[in-house]
Amino acid sequence: MKKIEHIGIAVKNLEEANKTYKALLGAAHYKTENVESEGVATSFFKIGDSKIELLAATTPESPVAKFIAKRGEGIHHMAFAVDNIEAEIERLKSEGFVLLNDAPKKGADNKLIAFLHPKSSNGVLVELCQEIIPSQNFAEKKGL
């Protein structure tokens, strides 16, 4: 793992949360994006080399909707940047971690993603992120 890529924060209302975080951080979000496969709308803020991802459910069945119903708004996950997500998935499996995804899938912000089950990482939902580089054609090969 190279660095903390971002911290994901579950919110009930993305528009209101964008206003709150703009006031808090002193800068507006730089992009919004819907991730249909996860049932979320996202908004990204950048502070130096760090990023904050706000996540709002777009369907009542989405993992973020269930998270908010159970725990309320707050920190949802911590994401780590990796160079080779498939190799990192295999490494973590061999270390005994339980993954929620056996294969990477397309996420927000031009990333391939996979999640570790929080029960295997001390209650923290961990996301692995690999930048999609067009020359790799990885996403096309995987049908993402």
Side-chain angles (χ1 to χ4, degrees):
M1 297 197 194
K2 298 177 355 180
K3 67 175 186 170
I4 294 174
E5 211 286 330
H6 67 268
I7 296 171
I9 300 173
V11 301
K12 291 179 183 176
N13 182 308
L14 193 59
E15 188 176 315
E16 289 301 315
N18 277 334
K19 291 176 189 174
T20 299
Y21 278 82
K22 178 181 180 185
L24 176 69
L25 303 171
H29 63 279
Y30 68 88
K31 80 183 285 187
T32 57
E33 183 176 349
N34 285 336
V35 183
E36 304 268 336
S37 65
E38 297 296 310
V40 296
T42 66
S43 179
F44 286 89
F45 290 82
K46 189 165 177 110
I47 305 96
D49 289 337
S50 301
K51 289 192 274 184
I52 301 288
E53 176 188 31
L54 302 180
L55 304 120
T58 57
T59 67
E61 304 82 30
S62 78
V64 169
K66 292 175 184 175
F67 176 92
I68 289 173
K70 186 175 181 178
R71 296 187 179 97
E73 294 180 294
I75 294 177
H76 178 260
H77 67 270
M78 183 171 294
F80 293 91
V82 299
D83 287 327
N84 183 333
I85 196 166
E86 287 185 321
E88 196 63 19
I89 287 170
E90 291 308 313
R91 183 187 77 78
L92 292 167
K93 281 186 194 175
S94 74
E95 292 285 345
F97 289 92
V98 176
L99 280 97
L100 296 175
N101 318 86
D102 285 330
K105 57 185 175 178
K106 187 165 184 343
D109 204 29
N110 195 44
K111 302 282 189 290
L112 293 174
I113 62 168
F115 288 93
L116 277 69
H117 196 290
K119 288 182 181 175
S120 66
S121 50
N122 300 95
V124 177
L125 180 63
V126 172
E127 180 182 16
L128 307 175
C129 298
Q130 177 187 322
E131 188 80 26
I132 297 172
I133 301 170
S135 64
Q136 289 177 332
N137 288 327
F138 181 84
E140 291 173 17
K141 287 185 215 171
K142 295 292 180 184
L144 302 175

